[in-house]
């Protein structure tokens, strides 16, 4: 296969900073998601719920409500349904 040289896209300092900010935001969201998954797994394995578990459940409910509201308002593209 013949490879061509990559097309260079002119970017300014602000464009680079926007890309860095976006990447940092995505990393933070991924880390938060991993923490949430770990908490949900712990809740699923332990039938006795304590105060922190109820806080996680409340957080999940509010996050779901926010996500549904954003979809209704068209602020977030809908994920493809497989």
């Amino acid at each position: 296969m013949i490879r061509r040289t990559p097309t260079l896209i002119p970017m300014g300092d602000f464009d680079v900073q926007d890309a860095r900010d976006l990447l940092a935001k995505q990393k933070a969201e991924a880390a938060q998601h991993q923490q949430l998954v770990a908490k949900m797994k712990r809740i699923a394995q332990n039938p006795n719920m304590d105060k922190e578990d109820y806080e996680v459940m409340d957080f999940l409910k509010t996050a779901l409500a926010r996500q549904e509201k954003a979809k209704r308002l068209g602020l977030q593209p809908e994920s493809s349904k497989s």
Side-chain angles (χ1 to χ4, degrees):
M1 178 194 289
I2 299 173
R3 300 222 179 238
R4 64 177 180 82
T5 57
T7 305
L8 299 178
I9 300 172
M11 293 180 71
D13 291 338
F14 293 115
D15 296 328
V16 172
Q17 188 61 42
D18 287 343
R20 287 180 180 162
D21 291 342
L22 180 63
L23 183 61
K25 180 180 176 185
Q26 288 176 347
K27 284 184 179 181
E29 288 175 353
Q32 182 182 19
H33 180 71
Q34 288 299 323
Q35 289 175 346
L36 185 59
V37 168
K39 287 180 181 179
M40 289 172 55
K41 184 176 180 181
R42 184 177 46 93
I43 290 172
Q45 292 174 346
N46 184 6
N48 301 326
M49 293 184 65
D50 58 2
K51 183 180 179 220
E52 183 181 349
D53 297 337
Y54 286 111
E55 291 172 0
V56 171
M57 296 297 287
D58 289 338
F59 176 76
L60 289 173
K61 288 177 186 177
T62 57
L64 183 62
R66 256 184 304 184
Q67 190 178 29
E68 289 178 3
K69 181 179 178 183
K71 281 183 183 179
R72 283 195 315 268
L73 295 175
L75 300 175
Q76 182 181 20
E78 290 190 33
S79 61
S80 61
K81 295 184 170 70
S82 301

